[in-house]
Amino acid sequence: MMIGAAAGVAACSTATEQDAPAYYGLSVTRIQVFKEQRKMHLLHNDKLLRQYDVALGFDPRDHKQQEGDGRTPEGAYVINRQNPNSRFHLSIGISYPNAADVARARAMGVHPGGDIFIHGTPAPWIGMPDWTWGCIAVSNTEMDEVYSMVQLGTKIFIYA
């Protein structure tokens, strides 16, 4: 399973060039993900700009503890990278693990994992619930929109 986990985590990061449409609306100042409801909100201050249904890690309950556990992290992070060449259409990176995540994993004697992204959904996974290795997935069309709207440094809050 660890080999599959490593392949799944790294898979968020490579493949063919994609183009996202231009966005000229209000800036996204915050992303909120509600794991239990499987919803993601893009906000400008307190104004809801967009809402999406999401798929999460294959074992989404609780906070991500270690590499390969299939959990989607919970907590406050930032968008720290964009990948126009993702195997999962387009992707934007989440700053997991933070210092607390690393310390928790170290205390447990495990690796915290990483490469957590918001990304699109390849054809084999369309309609499948909670199929990622800990990432947050939307449709490819929705990911085009998210990719164009969300800038590096945007805060993301992931709730249980």
Side-chain angles (χ1 to χ4, degrees):
M1 179 161 189
M2 292 309 290
I3 293 170
V9 169
C12 291
S13 311
T14 59
T16 67
E17 180 90 21
Q18 305 290 329
D19 292 316
Y23 173 71
Y24 301 103
L26 292 171
S27 63
V28 175
T29 58
R30 182 172 80 245
I31 302 169
Q32 294 178 321
V33 176
F34 301 93
K35 289 172 44 174
E36 187 172 333
Q37 291 84 18
R38 305 299 191 277
K39 297 289 184 191
M40 180 173 72
H41 297 167
L42 304 186
L43 298 110
H44 174 79
N45 299 323
D46 291 332
K47 178 181 173 58
L48 179 64
L49 300 174
R50 301 286 193 281
Q51 176 178 288
Y52 306 96
D53 293 327
V54 298
L56 302 171
F58 61 81
D59 186 13
R61 288 177 294 157
D62 301 319
H63 178 59
K64 185 164 193 62
Q65 300 291 314
Q66 67 183 41
E67 185 173 58
D69 66 8
R71 294 180 179 170
T72 300
E74 296 171 2
Y77 300 94
V78 297
I79 299 302
N80 64 357
R81 58 204 183 279
Q82 296 174 312
N83 183 3
N85 301 312
S86 174
R87 268 185 62 200
F88 294 91
H89 188 60
L90 297 168
S91 61
I92 56 175
I94 299 171
S95 63
Y96 175 88
N98 61 27
D101 297 322
V102 171
R104 185 182 309 110
R106 188 171 290 144
M108 294 171 44
V110 298
H111 187 278
D115 278 346
I116 301 296
F117 287 82
I118 300 170
H119 60 65
T121 302
W125 300 104
I126 293 173
M128 299 292 294
D130 298 334
W131 58 271
T132 78
W133 286 90
C135 295
I136 299 161
V138 296
S139 76
N140 289 349
T141 301
E142 292 168 334
M143 192 61 217
D144 289 343
E145 188 173 72
V146 171
Y147 192 90
S148 69
M149 293 175 73
V150 175
Q151 302 301 308
L152 295 178
T154 302
K155 295 176 184 176
I156 179 169
F157 300 91
I158 306 170
Y159 303 102

